[in-house]
Each structure stands twice: as C-alpha cells, then as structure tokens.
C-alpha cells in the first residue's frame, strides 16, 4: 500500500489554494480504501454521500468561506454517530442502525471542511484490546496481515498507518486510541475528559472515561484536528474548558517512568528503545528526571474492570439472557461477569478509580509532563487476545494494556507518538501525559519531542 504524500495540513493548503479540490481528494481516498479492502480497516463506505459532502465543501470555499480542515478525508470509528451513516458498534444488535445526527465532534469536523469517507472498524462496543467483530471479522496490521493492530480503535489507526486517510477519529476509554497507533506507527491522542464534547451517540458502558480521540501520522495534524473539536457544549454536561495558552516545553518539569511505577513486564526492545529516546531528548536540552508515580495499594487494571463489565450488563444483560450467541464470545463473557458483580464490587471499583485519579493529581503538582511506554510489546498474532509472552514472562490477555488505563481514570490528556521498532520493523510508542486541562501544552510539547525522537 502506498501512503498519500500529503498530511492533513498540506491537503488544507492545497485545497485552499485551488491546487486540488475537496472532491478530487475524496475520490482519491475512496480509491485507496477500495484497494485496501483486505485490511478491513474501513467497514462502511457511502461514496455518493461522501462526494456530495466534498462538493459542498468546494462550494463553500468558492463562496469565500475559510475552513480549517477543508477537504481533509476522515475515517470515523464505528461507535461514533455520523448522521445518515450506518454505525454498528461492531455489534450484530446494531447491524442496520443509521445514526440520526452527527456527534458534536463530527458536526464540528464537518463544519470545518473535513469529509467523512468511511467508518473505521472497532471491536464490539469498543470493549476488546483487539479489533474484530462478528459483523466484519478481524482488522489486520498494515505491516503484517498475520498480526493485529490492537484495539479497539484498530480500524482508524490502521487506516491512517496504511495511508488511506491522513486523519481518523477514534474513542479511548482505556487506551483504545493510543495503543493501536503505537502498534502501527502513528500518533494517537486522548484528550482530557470533557475537552471534546461526547455524544449525541450510543449509551456508553464506561463510567466517565471514554473520550473522542484523533489519530494521525503526526502530532501537528492531531493538534489541527483537536482545535476544530475542542470546547464545551451545552449538549454534553461533562464537557469542559481546557487551558487556552500552551506552556513552552523549555520550562516544563519532565519525568520519565520506565514502567509507570507498576510491577509489570516489558519487552527489552521497547524498554531499550524508550531509554534511547529519552537520552536523545536529554541531549537536545530537555531536563528529564526519572520518577515514578506512587500508586495506592492494589492499583491494577483488574481493580477497575467491574465498571466495564457492569456497564455492559446494564445495557445488554437482558438481551444476553435471551440469547448470548448474538454477542462476540469475549464480550459475552464480560456481560456474564457484569451480571455477577455486586453493588459493593462496583463501588469498590469506583473507589479504586478515584484513588488512582488522586495519585496522578498529586504527581502533577510537582511534574508537568510524564514520559512512559504506551505499550510493553509490539503487535501479536491476529487470532490472539494478547501476546503469549512479554518481557520473557507468560502474559495474561490484558498484559499488553498496562500503561494506558490509569490515564483514563485520572481524566488526563495523553498522546502516543512513534518511538522505535523491533528488528522486524514493528513499531512501539512513547506516551506523553500531562495534567488535566493542559491539552494544548501537551500537544505543543509532543510536536517538539516527536521532531527529536524521529530525527
């Protein structure tokens, strides 16, 4: 597959200058999607609607409008409403669902001139660390079709990595739009909770965790997309204002935590790659100190899982009791587990979530940026929930996800940028985390860090 030569920024410049049009750009993206069907990154297209939307953008430009994303083709994850499009959550329960309106973020993207060219694959209800569903099958890794890109935003991440589009929109409730980008070699940003309004859309099984998350080849394109979507909206009571001014990276206190202060395994190639990247950043003049957050006793992802399981059970438990076979077997197990949790179990998970948020809040009173791994390993075989081994030790099915969920529970912004590859060329990522509301400072720092790491 050949990547498009243009970034989102370049497309905007070319369309605005009349060197190309939104319609021509959309046609080229649709052609790339057609040639990449085997990847199963894009599960729904509507060429007639896409080309009509692109023509409307061109008409607006001719009328003198300024559109910050004019003509940029976008893939939207299959759990975010795009008005008039089929959006399924990767579930047979919603196989014929047509979204009645745009989510606020998509409404803002389209008003800015972005053109939706397809819907990107997700695991069912975005509740797995790989991207596969009974509706569409598995999404494949762009560098090796025998491997998974991870999940649950594997379709959007793979679409960007394969060069089908320069920009995709995912969701992130535990790392779903940071880990897949890390595995395929692109950038993925989880904003502060509420920075980008959420919904209208499907009821979420996650309690106050999921965010709209842009994915792109680099942090600059992510920053461009973020600025079109950010800002409180009365339709989302959880939407919030973020800091307007970005801090200069030169004055920021930067910490590096090789394992996020957790007793978890990590492959040597990832650990060594991150250490080398941090050395390059230090050599470039950034002041970085090794320092771990201090977590409350029992702080593991397992402590939070009753929230996801109970959320799924609340939404789909009645359907599960009637016919569990309509669900992905792995999701069905989560629903079944959710039906068994007690109220005290769920309350305990909420308390654990709050404790982690408090620990991170304390940490960011003394630190401005935190560098960590995004993933402890590279991509693994397509049919497995996770790799068999990490760091020379037998790995549980969620051991690949250890470095991202705490950020969601603390409602912090975090971005994954490409950091290196193993000997087979399989990528891994560097995660950069900031205090809640410091999204713009984080994105500014990420662009500078990215330039050094990629040099």
């Amino acid at each position: 597959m050949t990547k498009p030569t243009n970034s989102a920024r370049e497309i905007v410049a070319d369309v605005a200058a009349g060197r190309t049009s939104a319609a021509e750009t959309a046609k080229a993206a649709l052609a790339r999607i057609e040639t990449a069907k085997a990847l199963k990154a894009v599960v729904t297209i509507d060429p007639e609607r896409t080309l009509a939307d692109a023509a409307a953008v061109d008409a607006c430009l001719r009328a003198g409008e300024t559109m910050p994303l004019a003509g940029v083709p976008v893939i939207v994850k299959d759990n975010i409403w795009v008005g008039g499009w089929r959006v399924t959550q990767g579930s047979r329960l919603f196989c014929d669902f047509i979204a009645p309106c745009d989510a606020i973020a998509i409404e803002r993207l389209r008003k800015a001139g972005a053109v939706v060219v397809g819907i990107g694959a997700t695991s069912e209800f975005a509740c797995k660390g790989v991207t596969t569903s009974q509706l569409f099958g598995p999404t494949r890794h762009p560098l090796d079709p025998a491997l998974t890109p991870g999940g649950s935003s594997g379709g959007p991440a793979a679409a960007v990595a394969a060069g089908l589009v320069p920009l995709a929109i995912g969701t992130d409730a535990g790392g779903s739009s940071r880990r897949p980008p890390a595995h395929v070699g692109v950038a993925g940003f989880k904003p502060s909770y509420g920075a980008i309004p959420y919904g209208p859309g499907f009821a979420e099984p996650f309690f106050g965790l999921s965010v709209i998350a842009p994915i792109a080849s680099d942090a600059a394109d992510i920053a461009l997309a973020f600025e079109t979507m950010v800002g409180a909206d009365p339709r989302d009571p959880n939407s919030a204002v973020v800091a307007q001014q970005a801090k200069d990276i030169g004055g920021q206190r930067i910490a590096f935590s090789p394992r996020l202060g957790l007793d978890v395994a990590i492959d040597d190639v990832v650990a060594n790659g991150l250490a080398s990247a941090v050395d390059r950043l230090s050599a470039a003049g950034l002041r970085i100190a090794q320092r771990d957050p201090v977590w409350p006793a029992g702080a593991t992802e397992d402590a939070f899982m009753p929230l996801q399981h109970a959320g799924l059970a609340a939404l789909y438990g009645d359907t599960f009791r009637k016919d569990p076979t309509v669900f992905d077997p792995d999701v069905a197990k989560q629903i079944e587990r959710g039906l068994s949790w007690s109220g005290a179990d769920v309350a305990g998970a909420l308390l654990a979530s709050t404790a982690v948020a408090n620990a991170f809040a304390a940490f960011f009173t003394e630190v401005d940026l935190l560098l960590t791994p995004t993933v402890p390993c590279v991509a693994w075989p397509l049919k497995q929930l996770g790799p068999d081994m990490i760091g020379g030790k037998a790995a549980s099915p969620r051991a690949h996800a250890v470095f991202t969920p705490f950020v969601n529970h603390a409602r912090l912004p975090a971005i994954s940028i490409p950091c290196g590859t193993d000997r087979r060329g399989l990528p891994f990522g560097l995660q950069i985390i900031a205090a809640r509301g410091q999204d713009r400072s984080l994105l500014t720092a990420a662009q500078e860090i990215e330039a050094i790491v990629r040099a």
Side-chain angles (χ1 to χ4, degrees), residues 51-454:
L51 295 176
D53 288 348
V57 170
D58 288 329
C60 289
L61 294 173
R62 287 194 298 270
E65 289 190 37
T66 298
M67 309 178 87
L69 288 178
V72 175
V74 177
I75 296 293
V76 179
K77 187 176 177 180
D78 194 22
N79 65 338
I80 303 170
W81 282 9
V82 182
W85 285 70
R86 180 180 70 155
V87 184
T88 74
Q89 299 190 92
S91 172
R92 292 194 290 180
L93 297 180
F94 295 90
C95 62
D96 297 318
F97 179 81
I98 303 299
C101 64
D102 287 337
I104 297 165
I106 304 307
E107 175 183 284
R108 292 177 175 179
L109 282 174
R110 295 171 83 172
K111 186 176 181 180
V115 178
V116 177
V117 296
I119 304 298
T122 179
S123 55
E124 189 167 35
F125 309 130
C127 283
K128 285 175 66 173
V130 295
T131 301
T132 185
S133 71
Q134 291 185 318
L135 274 181
F136 304 114
T139 299
R140 299 178 182 276
H141 197 293
L143 297 177
D144 185 342
L147 303 179
T148 177
S152 63
S153 299
V160 172
L164 308 186
V165 290
L167 176 66
I169 307 300
T171 61
D172 191 317
S176 287
S177 287
R178 283 165 286 153
R179 294 194 309 273
H183 287 308
V184 300
V186 298
F189 176 51
K190 175 220 167 301
S192 295
Y193 182 71
I196 298 174
Y198 208 92
F202 297 109
E204 278 283 344
F206 311 103
F207 296 92
L209 301 179
S210 193
V211 298
I212 300 291
I215 297 168
S217 293
D218 59 30
D221 270 2
I222 284 179
L224 177 65
F226 176 72
E227 289 299 337
T228 69
M229 295 185 287
V230 68
D233 188 286
R235 290 169 288 180
D236 177 8
N238 294 310
S239 61
V241 175
V242 301
Q244 290 293 323
Q245 299 300 318
K247 300 176 184 177
D248 180 73
I249 192 173
Q252 297 207 52
R253 301 163 295 176
I254 306 174
F256 171 51
S257 179
R259 282 177 169 78
L260 195 59
L262 300 169
D263 182 18
V264 294
I266 185 171
D267 283 345
D268 287 344
V269 66
V270 178
N272 294 337
L274 263 73
S276 176
V278 170
D279 286 345
R280 294 198 298 277
L281 294 171
S282 297
L286 298 184
R287 292 178 296 174
I288 303 173
Q290 186 162 317
R291 180 174 178 177
D292 296 329
V294 177
W295 304 114
T300 67
E301 190 189 16
D302 287 344
F304 310 136
M305 291 313 290
L307 297 178
Q308 178 173 316
H309 298 165
L312 284 168
L315 292 172
Y316 306 112
D318 289 344
T319 304
F320 173 84
R321 291 186 181 98
K322 294 173 185 175
D323 184 6
T325 65
V326 300
F327 299 98
D328 176 300
D330 297 308
V331 174
K333 291 177 183 177
Q334 296 183 49
I335 297 171
E336 184 175 27
R337 189 73 188 275
L339 292 169
S340 72
W341 290 117
S342 70
D345 293 328
V346 176
L350 286 168
L351 290 171
S353 176
T354 300
V356 164
N358 288 339
F360 246 144
F363 184 78
F364 277 106
T365 64
E366 300 177 354
V367 167
D368 297 304
L369 296 172
L370 174 61
L371 312 180
T372 78
T374 309
V375 291
C377 59
V378 297
W380 57 90
L382 190 66
K383 295 183 179 181
Q384 298 178 198
L385 288 177
D388 293 325
M389 305 284 288
I390 298 177
K393 300 178 181 178
S396 67
R398 290 287 296 175
H400 64 91
V402 291
F403 296 125
T404 55
F406 282 18
V407 178
N408 295 79
H409 288 269
R411 279 70 168 173
L412 307 179
I415 189 170
S416 177
I417 60 173
C419 181
T421 61
D422 71 359
R423 58 182 176 77
R424 297 167 293 172
L426 295 175
F428 51 88
L430 168 67
Q431 181 174 219
I432 313 169
I433 310 168
R436 187 175 183 183
Q438 294 300 322
D439 300 58
R440 290 185 171 96
S441 293
L442 174 58
L443 289 171
T444 298
Q447 293 174 63
E448 297 187 41
I449 290 171
E450 189 177 61
I452 296 168
V453 170
R454 287 185 169 184

